[in-house]
């Protein structure tokens, strides 16, 4: 049996709020996962228009179960994970489970990047991670890999991460326009 503490419940609630806010920022309208989907997805929401499950961190979450569900449903899954809890807000990261040609690809440690309000949101691997960076565009059409990174200068890179983080924080607080 897995013990779920008050801190775990708080972290789960923050991740769920952040997942819903992110869905709104990219123009998705997710609904609760249906009973025909694998039970591991029961607590999450599904954006039918982009064939993507919006998931959020839970202590009892099974990565193996999520991978099997994504492969079975041939859907993508966007998982929001708070990095730590501090006060009301937590820093959030995103992981993607992408079903492509029957295979599930896992991309972790993604941060949102936004050129300007109203522009498409990009997910980019952690810029401080040391590995080769990867980028994805996320919009009303779904999740698509990009051949190059979305910025052209170091200043644009820094500003884009800052802009995306601020807009996501505002969206979580209910003030995103």
């Amino acid at each position: 049996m897995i013990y779920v503490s008050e801190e775990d419940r708080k972290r789960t609630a923050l991740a769920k709020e952040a997942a819903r806010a992110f869905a709104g920022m990219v123009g998705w309208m997710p609904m609760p996962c249906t009973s025909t989907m694998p039970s591991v997805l029961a607590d999450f929401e599904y954006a039918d228009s982009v064939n993507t499950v919006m998931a959020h961190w839970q202590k009892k979450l099974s990565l193996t179960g999520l991978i099997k569900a994504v492969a079975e449903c041939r859907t993508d899954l966007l998982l929001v994970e708070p990095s730590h809890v501090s006060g009301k807000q937590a820093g959030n990261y995103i992981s993607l489970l992408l079903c492509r040609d029957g295979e599930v690809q896992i991309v972790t440690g993604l941060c949102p990047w936004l050129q300007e309000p109203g522009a498409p949101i990009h997910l980019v691997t952690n810029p401080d991670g040391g590995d080769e960076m990867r980028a994805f565009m996320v919009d009303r059409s779904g999740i698509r890999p990009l051949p190059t990174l979305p910025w052209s200068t170091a200043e644009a890179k820094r500003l884009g991460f800052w802009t995306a983080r601020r807009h996501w924080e505002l969206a979580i607080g209910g003030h995103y326009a």
Side-chain angles (χ1 to χ4, degrees), residues 1-156:
M1 181 167 188
I2 297 173
Y3 174 73
V4 180
S5 69
E6 184 60 37
E7 181 75 8
D8 295 329
R9 283 189 282 281
K10 182 177 181 182
R11 191 170 180 219
T12 297
L14 289 171
K16 187 173 188 174
E17 283 180 51
R20 286 183 173 158
F22 188 85
M25 288 171 56
V26 296
W28 298 350
M29 298 187 344
M31 303 298 282
C33 285
T34 65
S35 60
T36 59
M37 293 181 141
S39 61
V40 71
L41 304 177
D43 291 337
F44 305 131
E45 296 182 332
Y46 176 69
D48 184 48
S49 64
V50 292
N51 191 33
T52 301
V53 172
M54 294 295 300
H56 55 276
W57 182 89
Q58 297 177 8
K59 186 170 186 173
K60 58 186 178 181
L61 197 61
S62 161
L63 181 59
T64 303
L66 289 179
I67 293 168
K68 288 178 182 177
V70 166
E72 179 183 329
C73 295
R74 295 192 179 272
T75 187
D76 292 339
L77 185 138
L78 188 147
L79 175 65
V80 175
E81 307 171 75
S83 59
H84 64 280
V85 175
S86 61
K88 183 179 184 292
Q89 305 244 340
N92 296 301
Y93 288 91
I94 292 176
S95 294
L96 295 175
L97 278 65
L98 305 171
C99 187
R100 302 292 185 263
D101 300 320
E103 297 291 321
V104 178
Q105 302 169 15
I106 302 170
V107 185
T108 61
L110 295 162
C111 300
W113 184 90
L114 180 63
Q115 182 173 351
E116 60 188 30
I121 293 181
H122 299 80
L123 294 176
V124 183
T125 50
N126 185 343
D128 302 320
D131 295 332
E132 181 180 340
M133 293 181 72
R134 295 179 63 190
F136 299 84
M137 180 182 291
V138 184
D139 61 15
R140 291 177 192 260
S141 300
I143 302 168
R144 297 178 308 286
L146 294 174
T148 61
L149 298 173
W151 56 80
S152 57
T153 67
E155 181 62 17

